Amino acid sequence: MLEGLADMAKQHPGPHAQAPHEKGAAWWRVMCLTGLDYFSTLGYQPGIAALAAGLLSPVATVVLVLVTLCGALPVYRRVAVESPHGEGSIAMLERLLSFWQGKLFVLTLLGFAATDFMITITLSAADATAHLIENPHLHSALSGKQVLLTLILVALLGAVFLKGFSEAIGLAVVLVAVYLALNVVVVVNGIWHLFKTPHVFGDWTDGLTAEHGNAFAMIGVALIVFPKLALGLSGFETGVAVMPHIEGDPDDTEEKPIGRIRGARKLLTTAAVIMSVFLITTSLITTLLIPKDAFKTGGPANGRALAYLAHENLGSAFGSVYDLSTIAILWFAGASAMAGLLNLMPRYLPRYGMAPHWARAVRPTVIVLTLIAFLVTWIFDANVDAQGGAYATGVLVLISSAAVAVTIAARKAREKRWTVIFAVIAAVFLYTTVVNVVERSDGVKIGACFIAGIMLVSFLSRLKRAFELRVTDVVLDETAERFVRDYTHRPLRLIANEPNSRDLAEYRDKIRQIRADNDIPAEDDLVFVEVTVLDPSDFEAELTVHGEVLHERYRVLALESSSVPNALAALLLRVRDLTGQQPHIYFEWTEGNPFAQFLRFFLLGQGEIAPVTREVLREAEPDRGRRPAVHVG
């Protein structure tokens, strides 16, 4: 169960992480990984659009396509340039924000990302179940077992990951190619039926005119209805997440992977164009050829509009093949989403110190995610339409954050034209997100639950790991190393000093006080150590120690870190290892309430330094005989 308790960042369980030995694949093959999430929405998008917009569905879908090609596509083409290593838009915002507000913002986005991926799993499984139940050969045997079958599919997905899951791009290519080819057949056949029965088109336009009056009214209503169709935008974040799989140019570097970026932009553009064509054509044929009542909950076209047409127009045999293809790609989309979750969290939480110990192994995490998927399936009664709002919310929040991120990036790069364009796009997506949240609050409720869960677990983990050493390495500059080497045959005595004015009086008074409080003989040599806190929200980093002589007499070791006690403990252990001597460090007590001081340490990296430094040393070095000595006066 706990196999692989190594650094989570080194694990590559899914398609969004690439092992170092992998060469990469052509962009069009990697596009099929995106297609597992993006193209599979054709399984339920036309039916959801018909329910949301009625006869206006094709017009609202045109609006969706315009937003896709003129909004989401330019945004993510820029994200590919700014974040070419698969981190996506969240990493861009992480770089733009610092301190705790940056960490909290990233945790919030991770909550919505978890909503996106988790609902992908449950909604795809529910829609796969709908295709199973509505198949004419299976309907009588499986009718009324929607929730049970969906739970079985989710459980099978979890079982695959417990066993050990490794997706192959080749399998994704086959699934996507077959699925899109079958959809081409359904679409061409549907358009042929429209030409064969031209009165259907006339009836549709007459119905539109009767409901909405004129073209301007139709466009206005389409703009209002458009947010309900936002599921058709899913897949862009996955598109940049799979970038590490794209084969770049021979002269690509990690800093400038030009070939990979070019391939990713081709991937995003091609996928968006293909999907746009399918969105328009499928919305047209499903709206015109399927009775309105068939789209309603329990109707034969609910959640499976194209499968309905495949059975009705092309026969039971072709329809069953189409069902099988749809079930396969929907189930595989859930697998891709699970892998995405297992890859996304390790990019951030371990660096924040916010990953529980057991989360370093894949299997316990898979069990937790599977149980959450069970809960979501039960809450939504395995209903595709009911989960659409939650899915759309996750997708829209991520796209909105990406639009904001590229707007800020363009502004920092002094690109006025792109700043204005991206700002307009961001405003459109923010409006769409707000409208979706207002009309379908389930999405933000589920998102809030994920955010609350991630933050609770993260802060409990950070609290539990507060007394870890939290320093990856200690590097001494030449002067600092010379100071330390002088104490190879005698113990180094350090004075912990909070740097203020750093004038002569500060050091003179401090050394006099420490000698008096601890009864240190005048002949004993003392060295000052000072830690400047940079970003207290950071968890671990390399520690660089600079040595300097102030006022021609006082030797000072200066450090910069996110936490004073952890930095001091790491320095003391490094000194012990270099000199073979047990170092001593001297503190004065800090005035104030102990609980308030602990909060200062937890949030600001300061507080009551002496006892915390001793506790960090106690955890890092269990042998008291080898543990550096802490004195407080």
Side-chain angles (χ1 to χ4, degrees), residues 36 128 175 322-334:
L36 294 173
L175 282 175
Y322 185 89
D323 282 338
L324 182 62
S325 173
T326 305
I327 292 166
I329 196 170
L330 285 168
W331 188 83
F332 211 69

Side-chain angles (χ1 to χ4, degrees), residues 181-261:
L182 293 173
N183 274 289
V184 168
V185 174
V186 174
V187 168
V188 170
N189 178 266
I191 293 174
W192 178 75
H193 271 79
L194 292 181
F195 279 109
K196 191 173 69 171
T197 54
H199 69 87
V200 173
F201 190 84
D203 293 343
W204 174 62
T205 54
D206 291 342
L208 278 178
T209 304
E211 282 188 11
H212 305 289
N214 56 59
F216 292 106
M218 295 177 196
I219 294 173
V221 175
L223 290 173
I224 296 173
V225 172
F226 149 71
K228 297 180 180 179
L229 280 62
L231 288 180
L233 291 166
S234 70
F236 280 98
E237 194 73 25
T238 311
V240 292
V242 299
M243 280 187 67
H245 276 293
I246 299 174
E247 183 180 11
D249 295 335
D251 56 348
D252 273 5
T253 64
E254 280 301 300
E255 292 74 23
K256 291 186 177 181
I258 304 299
R260 182 195 297 172
I261 292 171

Side-chain angles (χ1 to χ4, degrees), residues 576 582 614 617-618 621-629:
R576 180 204 64 186
Q582 184 185 36
R614 191 264 177 189
L617 286 168
R618 189 185 68 82
E621 178 51 78
D623 185 351
R624 293 186 64 179
R626 302 189 69 245
R627 191 184 304 155

Side-chain angles (χ1 to χ4, degrees), residues 98-103 351-354 462 470 534-539 562 602-604:
S98 60
F99 297 100
W100 282 108
Q101 61 265 34
K103 303 296 187 295
R351 290 191 290 112
Y352 297 171
M354 294 178 172
R462 179 80 178 233
R470 291 168 51 177
L534 297 178
D535 184 351
S537 66
D538 287 341
F539 186 71
S562 61
F602 183 72
L603 298 174
L604 304 176

Side-chain angles (χ1 to χ4, degrees), residues 523-553:
E523 61 269 17
D524 281 10
D525 215 1
L526 296 171
V527 177
F528 287 93
V529 58
E530 299 175 344
V531 181
T532 301
V533 176
L534 297 178
D535 184 351
S537 66
D538 287 341
F539 186 71
E540 60 183 16
E542 183 179 273
L543 193 66
T544 302
V545 185
H546 301 283
E548 51 188 326
V549 178
L550 296 182
H551 311 296
E552 300 181 354
R553 59 185 300 186

Side-chain angles (χ1 to χ4, degrees), residues 14 63 103 188 244 376 421 438 449 614:
V63 175
K103 303 296 187 295
V188 170
V376 172
I421 291 173
V438 170
C449 291
R614 191 264 177 189

Side-chain angles (χ1 to χ4, degrees), residues 507-622:
Y507 294 101
R508 185 183 60 222
D509 295 342
K510 185 74 172 183
I511 204 167
R512 183 185 299 125
Q513 177 191 344
I514 290 296
R515 286 189 186 279
D517 289 346
N518 297 276
D519 197 23
I520 301 174
E523 61 269 17
D524 281 10
D525 215 1
L526 296 171
V527 177
F528 287 93
V529 58
E530 299 175 344
V531 181
T532 301
V533 176
L534 297 178
D535 184 351
S537 66
D538 287 341
F539 186 71
E540 60 183 16
E542 183 179 273
L543 193 66
T544 302
V545 185
H546 301 283
E548 51 188 326
V549 178
L550 296 182
H551 311 296
E552 300 181 354
R553 59 185 300 186
Y554 297 115
R555 286 177 293 178
V556 180
L557 296 175
L559 305 78
E560 291 181 341
S561 177
S562 61
S563 170
V564 176
N566 305 80
L568 292 176
L571 174 63
L572 290 167
L573 292 170
R574 179 65 168 157
V575 168
R576 180 204 64 186
D577 295 339
L578 282 175
T579 64
Q581 299 286 331
Q582 184 185 36
H584 295 251
I585 189 167
Y586 296 88
F587 297 91
E588 61 176 293
W589 287 113
T590 303
E591 295 296 326
N593 181 277
F595 182 72
Q597 294 292 353
F598 175 76
L599 287 180
R600 285 190 67 216
F601 160 67
F602 183 72
L603 298 174
L604 304 176
Q606 299 176 348
E608 183 59 87
I609 305 299
V612 179
T613 302
R614 191 264 177 189
E615 180 61 20
V616 174
L617 286 168
R618 189 185 68 82
E619 286 203 6
E621 178 51 78

Side-chain angles (χ1 to χ4, degrees), residues 282-301:
T282 56
S283 69
L284 185 66
I285 62 174
T286 53
T287 303
L288 271 63
L289 296 178
I290 298 177
K292 184 178 179 180
D293 290 342
F295 290 111
K296 296 180 179 179
T297 301

